[in-house]
Amino acid sequence: MTNPQLQVSLLRPEEAEQFMRIRHKVFKPTINKILYSRGEPSQKILDRVTKDVRDGIVNKGMLYLKCVDVATGEMIAGARWRYAKPKEEGARERTWDEVEAGFTVPEPYEESDPELFRSLFHLLNTNKREILGNRPYYTLITCAVLPQHERRGAGTMLVQWGCDRADEAGVEAYIEASLMGVPVYERLGFKPVKRIELNTKDFGAKENEAFIVMIRPAKAERMDLPTAV
């Protein structure tokens, strides 16, 4: 699952802009059409996103990762994980106040359609609340690999990093996968739970944007699962 030519580590605050550039390039034909549905983001907005990444690392304990080509030193991929855990040491569940605090919706960008932007976050938050309740979990929020470096294992390594942390904590891992990404995540132990759709037709798209909610059971649960014969 690992490529010795690649190395995964935590992103440093001064690398926030590189992360933003990778994410923007990779998601330009997909999720960016929802986030920036009224046109390409301005430099002002890109600077805001960079600042959000930097602040997330420095002040909010966000788990931003980078994958670097060891030979060239180039950052070729990045990911963002979040650990939704109880504040009380030793607690097995989060309080409902803690659950709701994790469902904040950021302000839309100038290039966003506010209604579509908020609908995306409402859809994702509603399903997290319904499926996970107040259980702790790791969630993969972003995983982006530069097109010219696909099929080298960078994405797998970034996903596996979070899966390993979830196993260490004894909790589930949760993602909202694109339809194309489902086979990749299945190979890493994720199971499809639910198909969800964002209504983008009303905003000019040919079809609604679909996601597959997937969960990788906690390590103890996976060990209890029956083995196929």
Side-chain angles (χ1 to χ4, degrees):
M1 282 191 178
T2 61
N3 181 343
Q5 297 176 337
L6 304 178
Q7 184 178 64
V8 168
S9 61
L10 291 172
L11 189 76
R12 300 195 304 270
E14 61 269 24
E15 296 170 321
E17 183 175 0
Q18 288 176 265
F19 181 96
M20 179 277 293
R21 296 288 178 192
I22 290 173
R23 185 209 165 282
H24 179 70
K25 182 174 183 178
V26 172
F27 292 142
K28 186 174 182 178
T30 55
I31 198 70
N32 281 12
K33 290 185 177 181
I34 298 172
L35 298 178
Y36 313 112
S37 56
R38 292 180 172 173
E40 277 294 297
S42 65
Q43 186 59 49
K44 176 183 175 182
I45 296 303
L46 295 180
D47 290 343
R48 170 185 158 185
V49 175
T50 298
K51 182 179 182 297
D52 288 344
V53 173
R54 189 181 299 114
D55 287 349
I57 297 170
V58 175
N59 300 316
K60 299 178 182 178
M62 297 292 183
L63 300 169
Y64 283 94
L65 303 175
K66 61 182 177 183
C67 183
V68 172
D69 186 309
V70 176
T72 65
E74 177 190 5
M75 189 188 303
I76 66 168
R80 176 187 169 193
W81 282 89
R82 182 171 74 89
Y83 183 18
K85 65 177 180 177
K87 290 183 178 179
E88 182 181 345
E89 189 70 29
R92 300 186 65 178
E93 295 182 336
R94 297 175 295 151
T95 67
W96 284 105
D97 285 343
E98 290 170 353
V99 172
E100 294 304 322
F103 292 148
T104 56
V105 177
E107 280 298 310
Y109 304 110
E110 293 175 9
E111 293 84 0
S112 305
D113 181 297
E115 184 180 352
L116 177 60
F117 185 93
R118 294 190 178 102
S119 294
L120 171 64
F121 286 92
H122 177 72
L123 175 70
L124 301 182
N125 290 343
T126 297
N127 280 278
K128 278 194 179 78
R129 185 185 293 108
E130 173 191 312
I131 293 169
L132 293 164
N134 62 346
R135 303 194 303 274
Y137 61 92
Y138 269 82
T139 180
L140 178 64
I141 300 170
T142 299
C143 185
V145 181
L146 288 172
Q148 64 269 35
H149 292 285
E150 290 178 349
R151 301 188 182 279
R152 297 183 63 193
T156 297
M157 291 171 68
L158 290 166
V159 176
Q160 187 64 53
W161 185 96
C163 291
D164 290 343
R165 302 292 87 71
D167 282 350
E168 290 169 4
V171 300
E172 301 157 287
Y174 178 99
I175 56 172
E176 294 109 359
S178 67
L179 300 183
M180 290 181 62
V182 169
V184 176
Y185 293 116
E186 284 183 326
R187 288 197 292 270
L188 293 172
F190 286 87
K191 308 294 183 185
V193 173
K194 183 180 182 181
R195 177 190 172 106
I196 59 177
E197 288 192 4
L198 178 67
N199 179 9
T200 50
K201 282 185 177 180
D202 289 349
F203 298 89
K206 292 182 179 179
E207 56 185 23
N208 291 337
E209 189 72 29
F211 305 91
I212 305 297
V213 174
M214 305 184 76
I215 287 180
R216 185 176 186 264
K219 187 174 182 180
E221 295 175 25
R222 297 201 311 276
M223 293 175 68
D224 289 339
L225 293 174
T227 303
V229 179

